Every structure is written in structure tokens, then in C-alpha cells.
Amino acid sequence: MCALERKVFYLNVTAFSIAIERVLEPSLNGRPVVMAPVKSERSLLWEVSPEAKNEGLKKGMSLAQAKKVCKDIIVLPPRPDLVNQVNRKIENKLLSNLTPVYEVEKPGHAYLDLTGLEKLYGEKGDMGKKILLDLKNDFSLIPSVGSSINKLVSKVAAKSKVDDIVLIQEGKEKQFLSPLPVEVLPLVRQIIKVKKDTLFQDLNLKKVRDILSLSPYALEVAFGKTGTEIISMAKGIDFSPVLPPKKEHALFEETYLKEDTNDLPKLRQVLSTLVESGLFKLRKKGLFCQKIEVSFRYIDYKFVSKEKELKNPSQYSYEIAPLVLSLFYDLFKRRTRIQFISVNFKELIQNEIQLSFLDHFQGSKEIESTMDSIKNKFGQRLIKYGNEVG
Amino acid sequence: MIPLCVHSTYSPLGGLLTPREICEWAKANALETIALTDTNGLYGMQFFLEAAKEYGISPIIGSEVIWNKRRVVCLCTSTYSYSKLCILLTKVHMEEMSQDTFLQYLNSFLEEGILFSEDKGILSSLPNEGNLFYEVCPGFFTQKDYYWAHSRNIPLIASTRGYYLKETDHFYYQMIRAIDQNSTLSSTHLDYYNKKCRLYSPLELSRMFTPYPMALKNAQNVAKRCQYNWYTKKIIFPLYEGKSEEDCKMILHQKAQQGLLKRYTHKNELFKKSQKRLQYELSVICQKGFSSYFLVVEDIVKNSPRTCGRGSAASSLVSYLLEITHVDPIKHNLFFDRFLNPERVDPPDIDIDFPWDERDSILDYVFEKYKNHVAMVSNHNTLQGRSSIREVAKVYGISEQEINYVLNRFPRVELNQTWKNVVIHAQRIQGFFKTLSVHPGGVVITPNPISHYVPLQLTPKGLPVIQWEKRQAEKAGLVKIDLLGNRSLAVIRDTITAVNKNHNKCYRYQDLDPLEDDKTKKLLILGQTMGVFYIESPATRQLLQRMKTSEFENIVIASSIIRPAANQFSLEFVQRLHGKPFRHLHPLLKPVLDETYGIIVYQEQVTQVAMALANFSSTEGNNLRKVLDKKDEKKKLQDYKYQFYQGAFKKGISQNILDQIWDMILSFSGYSFCKAHSASYALVSYKSCYLKANYPAEFMAAVISNRGGYYSTFAYLDEARRMNIKILPPDVNKGLEDFVGQKDFIRTGLSQVKGLTQKGLQKLLNYRPYQSLEELLERTDISFEDAKVLVKSRCFSTLKDSTYVDQMWRVYAFFAKKRGHISNTHQALLPNMKEYNPKELIDYELDLLGGGVSFPEWALYRDALSIKGRVRAQDLRCFIGKEVVLFGLYVTSKKVRTSSGGPMMFCTFSDETDIFETVFFPGVYLSYQDLLQMESSFLIKGVVEETLGSIQVRVLKIKTVEPLFANRKNQQVV
């Protein structure tokens, strides 16, 4: 009995956030569009449409520079909530209906393992068409789809954009990858962009075929121990499974500040509000958190984050609020204003707490419980702690 | 009540009132005296004394001392307590102290000084003998404190810690504290302060202290006890080897006579004149008690064979004979009174240039010899202009990118409300003292330990620095000696060393006598003086081209007349030099201005003009000259203008004539030079030019290696190419650390290779020569990164037995073996990769060497160079008055303002043939200022203009051009 041929697909919606905006506003189609916070020209580009890319714009470029390079660009403010919302819908309505084995890499980009599902969807070509059409019909989004026997080659195929659907037959992976730039291989990208290593440039290894042509000796000289891994990648070998989604046991409370600020009392107020809002939700669901993470972004887009484990799982303000504040003070070392704050309640569990006979904070718990009752009846905004209002 | 604890802007980012404002307030409130007690220093003491005198206030000197979170206020009653305070403040800044030691110094101060505090620990550890008080300050003092002081018989003293005047200034106080602490407004720590800490009127104070009348009375009494005459006219000279002034006079005479015989070998007319002049100078010097000063300077100078005594000291024959300066003042008619005269009360100021890399050893010698009697003079860093805006913006939390964006365009940028607030707040705190830094070369040497005269702090290099900058040092009678670094002296030194080696010569710096050399004269006349000390700027080169003369006296004028406000005069001067008839504005000016064709060129001529026309004394004339240098003395300048006009009117000189003369005088605002200074520098220029004319390769290599010239390294390399000198890349076997010139080539220095570590470079030099790459790697043990950088910058060219890619593979193989990835290196098993493509090789060179070395950068612009009808720079003279298109590689630029305030720019470009000058008038400049900021390469359309022989292109349009291999998608912003 021959093993089933793996059928892995990669779904790639280029410039996903802009693609969503184009669905909502079709007049944006075909025009150079970028996504950047519009408050100031000192912002950096978060996303660029293919038309903008052709004009020489790229992610990370300053908005001021982008406007000079391409005077006709349309600038849209980022809407991360909308992107997450659409992404969740795609996941729930499309991906999970196609197969239980799918892995969202990032919004608008996902792997699907459709191995053994030919009877449902037909051959590979039909599967690819179905994915494409479903996304087009249900969401008006047009992806590029790549397929092969593994994740690596499927993704490269989708991003190559040779066609809307690029199918690589089993056994043709090496042939497909050979003429492509070495940067298509993930490990190579990691070496170049993350480690900032110039090794490929130094050794004049420009195409995948250059790597394939190296002898084992040369591979060791160039890559040392990672040579084996790189040559496998260059041959299109990848056994990594498509990982089904894990349930995220976390609750995120985050906000973009109405006005960027470095004023400590104001920032403390925002943190308090986030903490109280999150804890209210946790208590409502009967959940306790074991870890807290505080993150924020400065107006120059530097993002900082720190987390700490609680001694005991908790859902109470008197235990969690001081920790949140302490994490914030640890992080807040610059004077630059903050634009976005997030408090993440992680590793959530249902926990029955053994009440301590000597619990000095029983009173605090009762207060919080009473406040929760009022909030449930009349709304969260009706009653707040003093430090939530500044 | 007299405020006894008052902070000025000289409490570093701690007070909001200048010393002048404090005195003005005191006067307005009918106070006869007031104290200044800045934090941990006497940073503004001399300005306070000056302002107090002006307002008729008696000044009380003191300081708030904060050490290890312990705070006391010290007030001086005498010079003894003053010196103890200086010592205490020095220790606070310079030493780790224990609490006991701190108390000992306080104890010592208390012998005559007054001390008050609310620190109970300190108060209970000090003797209570009538000089110790408990500070009663609103917002800090409580009933408990009263009982505590009472139980120990420590008398109370009223104090309000005045940081500012109005309550609304609290915000600005918070702002400057936030700047000092690098914090936000909401997180600033405001220690020893509350909102009541301001200056109060006497009526407000008497109401405030009603419960404690004794505290008020004690304050009055203490104020009386602190009355002292701080105004001394004494100049404090260094001691020369412990000798008395009488002994020093004798030694000075002897040395001067010896110098006379050495400098004037022929007993000619000059020698006779010098005798008489020497007698006069020695009499002035000795009468003023300056002998030891000259001897100290001579002792320092003799440590280096190459120096340049600059400034007005060069007009002294004594300086010349002691070899402090090297320009013959008799021969060049230099005016001694500009340096010293019997009437002047301020001390002499001798400045000496040393080769820049020898200066530290000179300072080491001085500090070793004079130990705790010597310190550097400080500079006061203040919040000014853009720095003030930047600091306030940071407090507001604005990002660095946004701050840079706004400041690069300020004031021509639209501001939102936040930025408008930033600018308003920044204006309020302009000029506030922030920190000390070190004056470039000023040292002060005193007969007693210097910490008795002024508190000291430490520089980052560990040298002591006084808390006063040069003006205050001068007001205090401290005599400064400037020991400065000069790159061109090092250039001349290195060139001579190379020439002696390469051409078998025995030149010495002092023997170079270039004034009659034809090649030197030719370079000067053509203005081909890039690299030549002091006369290489575009403006000076153009002036030389217009002057068409190489006479020493005219070069001296040229280097002095190039000043921002003197453009109109420099053109007029050139015309008169070439024979344009002129009349002196007034006959009285003839003896003063004849040598400079009726134009005021030198600083001392300002003095002489004021003396001749308006009966100024020599001192008054000199003060007028000084006031022109200082931006903050507008009022004094107006007073002098009035005096000048009144004096001249009395001689019947007309308003019109006076206006013209005064305009010329005003052109000396900002900076200007005396003849002696220009002459000293012109001599160095001449020697420098001689070396360039005769040994161009050695000279240009030395210019580049010593850095710091007017132009970039690559502009100098292009100049060398124009002189038919070949530029060779760095090489592991042949190159040295620095650029080396020999006959007709310059070898690029290995230090030019970006990314090559100093350690790696030294190893390379230590183990040469190398027969192969592997041998080099084995013997030197340089790092992997160093080895890669050497391959990419083609330093292995002479070992080139394979392609550069192959060399790189061999480096990787060597280090793979070293790391244990492979057991042996087998060159034959390495792959046969294609060589890097031309673009990659060019990119590596541009990136690692900072520019084109193996090729001139203009060669990358083939398309632009081959445009039909393009004119070459060397042919511009044939197109005067015509519109042309040129290719230009940016060299340097200078932004200026027209008389109506519009911005314009002078820009220097070069092409494959020559360097050329352009001017962007305001309209054109505004259209292209963003492009010009890129400092890139352009096609330039403009009109060729000629002024008195020098050529300039008046630009109409520019367009960027792309180099070879430019990637359109990744091109720079246009």
C-alpha cells in the first residue's frame, strides 16, 4: 500500500490589511495604497500595496519619504481590530470548514493540509481552485495559492506568483526551487535578516542552485553544522507538519491612547482601566490567570514587553494591579510618548481557590465581587476604582 | 530681610533668574545686599559681582552644597572662608569622601564662614560658635524643628530658597529639572524645593516670618557679617620655577638677548630697530610684572620643535626672541600695543598651536610640572536655540525622529500646538547653564594651589577644570595660556619626514623658507590651495585667484579679510590692490590704513581708527575691539558708538563719513583677526603651500592622514588625482596605517578600511611580509570579521592569485577548520564560484573605504558625463556670460543669508577635470534645498560669471543623476 501523497496548500493574500480595505472601498483597487498611522509624516509604512511596491515603496519607509517617491499614494490608517476580525472569520468560516488541519501563519496567510481529502474536493488543482473561489466568493479577497507535498515548497510556490494557483508535482521540488533566489528558503532568510550574516553575499551564493551545487566539503566550510539543514531545504525537503490551532488561553486588553502621552498619572489611569476591564471578564467567566504581560508601543514604534508569573493564580485587582504597575515601571525607561498599551492575562485556568482562614484580603475580594454585580447589571462604566479615573 | 539663599541660572538647570536679574530685583526692592548661592558651585560668581556693581548692590558670595543627599548653605565672610569654600566644592566634585571627611571640610569652612542647614545630623556634628544656624524655610520648617534647634541652642535664620520670582514660573522650574534628570514633567524629583521657594519682597517676608522674629534678625546680622570687598584688580600670575619676579626679570632679559643674537644674525637695519624695540617691550613687561608669565610659556613651548604662536602675542619681539612666536614683528611692522601697552589693565593672553597629536603630551608635561597649581579653563554649555528646543521636546515625549525632522527644517516648518508650546517654553529657558565642558586649550597656572581661587571639577579625561569659562577667568585676574592642537603643523611634520626619507633630504620645520619659491607662488596665484593651512576654503581660494599675488603681506591681508560680514570690503580691496584709485575716508586714517589700501582689515586697526578719529585712549579702543567679538554686549556697543561719533564730531568729521567707517568697524562683529595672528598663520600657510607645490604626493597623503581639513578625504583624493598622483588601494603588504605618499602615488591607509579593528590592523603591521593569504591568517591570528573585510576591500591585491570570491572561500575554509567544522583545508575542493560582479565590487569599495579609491567617483556617472553639450569645469573660462550645463560631484557648501535675510548657498562641485564654484541665490536655493541636502551628484544648469578673474556659476536648475548600476526601485528620494 503506497503512502498517501501529502497535499499541503499555502494561502497567501498579499498586503492583507490593504486588500480588506479594497473590499470595503473598491475605488482603491489598482492604485498605490499604503498603510501608516496618519497622525504625522514621521510615521513608518506598515503595509504597501503591490502598485506602491512597484513605485519603489516598501514597509518601514517613512511616510514623508514615501510621499516624495510617489506623490499619488493613498494613505490609510491601520485598523488592526478589523484585520483580526476578518482573519478570525476566514479561519472560522473557510479554513476550519475545509480541513481541521490548518495553521494560520499570520493574518491572510495560512497552511492547509488536505491530504486524503480528494474524494471531497477532487485532485490538487480542484482543491486549489476551491480555496481560491471560496475566499473570493465569501470574502471578495483574491489570494495566490501554492501547493506541494510540504509547507516549505507550498509557501514558496504561492509567493512566487507565477500564477493564481501554483502546483508543484511531487518530485519536482528541487527543479522548482533551483532558479529562485536563496532568500526563498526560511533558514537563509533568518541568517540574512535576523542574524544579519553576510555569508551568502560573501560566498556569492545567489540562487538556490548555487547551494545545490556545493560539495559536502564546501557545505561544511560555508555553513558548518547547519549545512545539512540548508541543503535539505534547497532540495525542497520539509517534513514539518501543519499544526492545528491551539486554543489560546489568554485574554488581551489593549487600547490605542486617544492622545499619545508620557504623563505618568494618565498612563497609570489607562493601565488601571485595562486591568479592571480584563479582570471583570475573567471573573465573569470564572477564570484565573497565572501570568501577566504588559506591553506598550512608543510613538517611534519601539515595542516593549515584559511578563511575570503570579505566585498564585488570581483574578483580583489587589493582587494583579500592583504587579501590572511594577512591570510597567520596569519597562517605561524612556521619555518618548506612548501610543498603545496592552495588558495580557495569560495561562488562564478554571481554578477553585482554597480560601485562607487568615486571608487579609477577603474584604477586597468582596468589594470586587460587589462591583462585578453592579457592572453586570448596569454596565462596566458605571462604577470604577479611583485610579481608573485619574 | 535679605534673601540669603538665592539660585541663579548658574545652579545647573536649577534656577530661573540670571545674576543680573537677581541684582535688578534687589535694586527694585530697595535691598542693599543680596546673596548668590548656586548649587555646588560658583559658576556665575564673576557675572554676579559685575551686575551687583552696576546696580549698586553689595554682593554676598556663597553656595548651596549638596553632597550625598546632605544639604548645607555656606556664605563667605572673607577671602579665607572663600578659599575654604572653593576647596570644599572641589572635593565634592572630585573625590570620593567619607562623611567624616565632609564634616572636616565643613568644620574648616566654619572657622570664618557662615553655615546654615536643616540637616540635623550635620548641625549636631559641627561646632556651634556663632557661625552655625538652623534654616527656617517656609514649607520645610515645623514646630518640631523649632524645638530641636532650641534644645541645642542653634540659632534660627530666615531663608526662602529663591529659585524664581513668580509662582507661575513653577512650571519652568519643573521643566528644567526634568531636563536635568532626563525625566518627564510628571516624574521629576523636586528635592529641597516646594512651590513657596521664590524671591519675596521685604514686606512679604516680614509677614511670613512673624512667628520667628529672631530668624529675621539673625538673617540681617549675617548679611552684615558677609559684607566684603570682592573686587580685586590683581592679576594672578604663575610662578616660574619658584623664582621671584625680580629674578624672573633678569632671566627674561638674558634669554631675550640670547634670542636677539640668534634671530638676527646680520647686524643690519632690522637688528638696530630691534634693540630699541626690545628695550621698550621689556620695560612694559617688567613694569607690569609679566616676566614670569613669559618664562612659563617659553618653558612649555620648548617641548615641541613645531609650534605656531598665534594671536596678538606674535606682535611681541620678546615672544619672537623666546621662540614662542615665529614671525619677525620688526620686519612685518606688527603693533606691540595690540598685545600689551602700559595703559591696559587686562592680562596678556598667549595662544600656542602644537601638532594636534602632540598636544596631549604637552598638557601632560604642564600638569606634571605644576601639579595642583594648574587646571583647564571650562566652557559653559547652555541651552541655546536648537538644543533648547530639543531638550524641551524630549520632556514632552516627542520621538527622536520627529525632533530631528522639525529641527532640520526649523523655522520653515509648520508646527502643531504641541510644537508651538515646545518653542515657547524653549525660548523661556534659553541661555540657561547646563554643564561644564573643557575649553579647547586654555590652562590657568596659579602661584598657590588653584582650588584656593576657584572650585574645580574633573574632565572626562581626568584633568581638573575650573568652574569659570574664559571671560570670568579673566575678570577674576586669572591668566590663561591657550595650548591648542593644529592639524596642519602635524601635516607639515609628517610631510617633511616623508620627504626626507623618500628624497634623501634633511629638511627641518624651522628652516623652511618658502617665500621665494616659484612653484609656491604659482599655486597661490592660481588659488590651488586645497589642503593648504588656513587658505583652502572656497572663499579664500577665490580671493587668491582675484588677488593674483603671492606677496607675503598680501597673503596676510587675504587671510584676515575673509569674514562673513566683510564680503563687500574684500572685493573693494582687490580692486584697489590692482590699482583702482582711492582716497582715505578721512586724512587722519592715512597712517593707519595705508598698508591695507584704506580698508580696515585687522583688529588693531579698529583700535587705531578709534584713537585717531575719536580720541579714544588705547584701552578704550581695545575695549571697543573686544566688545565687537561678543554677541551679548549690544548695549556696550551702542555706548561705544555714541562715544565714537561724539569724539569724531568734535574733530569736524561728517555723519556720512562716520557711517561708512562705522560700517567697516561693524564688519568685525563675530570674529576677526589681528595682523600678528594672520601673519603667524600666513607663515604656516606658506610652508604648507611650499610642500604641496614641491612634494604633492607626500603632502596630500599627510593632509588626509591628519584629517580635519576643510574638505572630505575623497575631495582631497580627487585633488591629488588632478595633480597626476595615482591613488592605490590599501594593501596588507605595502600599506601602512595611514595614507602614504611617495613621488607620484598615494597608497590608501589600512585605517581607511571600515570594520577593520585596531587590534587586527596592528597585527597585520607587526607580522609582515606575507606570501599568501593562508600565511597571513595563520601568523596574524586576525578575526574572521577582519579577514572578510580585508578581502572585500581588496587589500590582498598583491597576493592576488585567485578571484576575490575564491579568496573569501579560502577565508571561510580557514575559519571553518579553526572552529572544527572541517579537519583540513583543501583549496582544490572549494567550489569554483563566479567572481563578484562589477556592481558588487564597486559597492564593497564604496561601503568599506568610504568612497572610490581605485576609481574616481565621477567615473560612476558615465551617462551624465557623456551628455551632449556638457561643459567641463576646466573650460568654464571660455563660457563667461553664457548658459552652460555641467556635471558636478558635491564637494562642500556654505549656507549664508542675504542682506535681506533670504537663505542662499555657495556650493563647490567637481568633475573629471577640475573643481568649480557655484552660487544658489535665494529663489533657486529654496527650490532645491532638499536635493542639496543629499550632497550627491547633479547636472547643473547655470550662467558662468567672472569677478576680478575668479569664475563662478550662477545656478538656474539642478537635477540628480544616477550612478552606474543604480536600482530605480531603491533610489534615493528626489
Side-chain angles (χ1 to χ4, degrees), chain B residues 365-384:
Chain B
Y365 169 78
V366 172
F367 277 85
E368 179 55 41
K369 181 157 185 167
Y370 294 97
K371 297 192 171 23
N372 60 348
H373 292 240
V374 61
M376 304 291 294
V377 173
S378 64
N379 271 342
H380 282 188
N381 297 331
T382 57
L383 291 172
Q384 291 292 351

Side-chain angles (χ1 to χ4, degrees), chain B residues 746-761:
Chain B
I746 290 176
R747 169 80 61 187
T748 305
L750 288 161
S751 60
Q752 189 68 15
V753 178
K754 197 164 123 185
L756 179 63
T757 60
Q758 190 58 29
K759 209 168 154 187
L761 193 154

Side-chain angles (χ1 to χ4, degrees), chain B residues 564-850:
Chain B
N567 277 338
Q568 54 180 139
F569 301 117
S570 71
L571 282 175
E572 182 63 26
F573 159 71
V574 174
Q575 287 169 326
R576 293 181 188 186
L577 179 68
H578 291 312
K580 177 183 171 184
F582 71 94
R583 272 194 338 184
H584 290 285
L585 286 170
H586 193 279
L588 285 174
L589 294 178
K590 187 170 162 50
V592 177
L593 301 181
D594 230 7
E595 68 168 326
T596 52
Y597 301 85
I599 294 169
I600 307 178
V601 170
Y602 305 120
Q603 283 177 342
E604 60 269 36
Q605 288 175 320
V606 170
T607 306
Q608 289 167 325
V609 162
M611 287 166 71
L613 290 190
N615 277 342
F616 272 47
S617 68
S618 173
T619 306
E620 285 170 333
N622 198 43
N623 288 342
L624 165 61
R625 190 264 308 164
K626 277 188 179 178
V627 150
L628 284 163
D629 268 348
K630 293 166 191 164
K631 294 175 198 170
D632 55 350
E633 305 259 41
K634 282 190 182 147
K635 183 180 177 307
K636 274 193 182 162
L637 185 59
Q638 287 297 66
D639 293 340
Y640 277 122
K641 182 180 178 182
Y642 179 79
Q643 184 184 345
F644 179 77
Y645 273 70
Q646 292 305 308
F649 284 151
K650 283 180 189 157
K651 291 195 176 179
I653 302 170
S654 72
Q655 173 89 27
N656 181 36
I657 301 278
L658 284 176
D659 286 344
Q660 290 180 69
I661 296 170
W662 189 252
D663 268 348
M664 254 201 283
I665 288 174
L666 281 185
S667 75
F668 283 80
S669 302
Y671 66 88
S672 57
F673 310 106
C674 63
K675 185 178 178 184
H677 174 89
S678 295
S680 287
Y681 270 11
L683 188 61
V684 179
S685 300
Y686 248 96
K687 295 193 189 210
S688 185
C689 195
Y690 170 83
L691 292 169
K692 182 182 182 184
N694 290 281
Y695 305 101
E698 286 85 355
F699 177 77
M700 293 305 292
V703 167
I704 296 167
S705 294
N706 281 287
R707 298 177 178 87
Y710 194 92
Y711 303 94
S712 69
T713 296
F714 292 91
Y716 287 124
L717 285 178
D718 272 346
E719 171 75 353
R721 287 190 184 99
R722 284 190 288 271
M723 299 171 82
N724 295 320
I725 298 170
K726 284 195 289 281
I727 311 298
L728 303 178
D731 187 86
V732 293
N733 273 325
K734 296 190 178 176
L736 293 178
E737 187 171 347
D738 286 322
F739 284 75
V740 169
Q742 189 172 350
K743 296 192 172 131
D744 64 346
F745 69 84
I746 290 176
R747 169 80 61 187
T748 305
L750 288 161
S751 60
Q752 189 68 15
V753 178
K754 197 164 123 185
L756 179 63
T757 60
Q758 190 58 29
K759 209 168 154 187
L761 193 154
Q762 286 310 315
K763 284 181 182 177
L764 268 181
L765 296 174
N766 287 346
Y767 295 103
R768 303 205 282 201
Y770 309 105
Q771 305 304 322
S772 72
L773 182 149
E774 281 74 16
E775 186 195 342
L776 184 149
L777 294 175
E778 193 67 57
R779 283 171 56 206
T780 61
D781 193 32
I782 57 170
S783 70
F784 182 45
E785 293 305 319
D786 279 345
K788 287 199 291 182
V789 142
L790 288 171
V791 169
K792 285 193 238 186
S793 52
R794 298 191 260 177
C795 293
F796 292 112
S797 297
T798 49
L799 295 175
K800 196 171 174 1
D801 46 4
S802 56
T803 62
Y804 296 111
V805 168
D806 187 64
Q807 286 181 344
M808 187 64 82
W809 272 96
R810 284 156 65 189
V811 164
Y812 268 79
F814 180 87
F815 283 93
K817 182 183 167 208
K818 216 174 164 188
R819 289 183 203 122
H821 293 165
I822 53 175
S823 53
N824 252 312
T825 55
H826 297 288
Q827 221 168 308
L829 291 181
L830 292 174
N832 204 6
M833 303 298 295
K834 257 191 333 189
E835 177 64 289
Y836 300 121
N837 62 43
K839 172 168 164 38
E840 283 167 331
L841 289 172
I842 288 173
D843 281 346
Y844 284 148
E845 185 163 322
L846 293 175
D847 186 38
L848 292 172
L849 298 181

Side-chain angles (χ1 to χ4, degrees), chain A residues 40-71:
Chain A
S40 93
E41 303 218 332
R42 274 63 81 186
S43 329
L44 303 178
L45 301 186
W46 286 30
E47 190 64 85
V48 299
S49 70
E51 299 83 1
K53 207 168 176 183
N54 283 340
E55 293 294 329
L57 305 188
K58 49 186 178 183
K59 281 194 226 183
M61 193 185 251
S62 81
L63 184 57
Q65 194 178 349
K67 283 185 176 175
K68 285 180 181 170
V69 171
C70 177
K71 292 184 172 35

